[in-house]
Amino acid sequence: MTYDKNNIFAKILRGEVPCDKIYENKYSLAFKDINPQANVHILIIPKGQYIDVDDFLKNASQDEIVSLMQAVTEVCKITKVASSEGGNGFRLIANTGVDGSQEVPHFHFHVMGGEPMGLRGLRRS
Ligand code: AMP
């Protein structure tokens, strides 16, 4: 499978589509999900062209991988969902491929919280 340069997150990264940015570092970008499924619902993406978590972990540089994990920490700090920030926790999801119900073929983490998540994001549909 080759990377689709016309996916919506590629367009956001090129500045062709706006996003509600909450954090950015050298290799990563975080913005609000356009259709939030929780009080806090943030997407964190690498700026490089990676289809999914498998592609990212196999092909990204150490700096890109560290940068993305730092972005997760920063997003949890900004949104105060982490217990270290006084929050009650959160769900970190990487939907992957067809069986994982991944809609946008550019690797992304969902950070969801700000309220009890129950089985949201996990339930059979
Ligand atoms: P997934 O099923 O893991 O691929 O999730 C893709 C997510 O991207 C969904 O939660 C969508 O609501 C979200 N999404 C799609 N387009 C946009 C956009 N333009 N800005 C922000 N979030 C988006």
Side-chain angles (χ1 to χ4, degrees), residues 8-9 31-35 43 95 101 103-104 108 110:
I8 190 73
F9 295 170
F31 51 92
K32 292 184 180 174
D33 195 292
I34 204 167
N35 183 23
L43 302 173
N95 294 324
S101 298
E103 287 172 16
V104 178
H108 50 282
H110 297 252

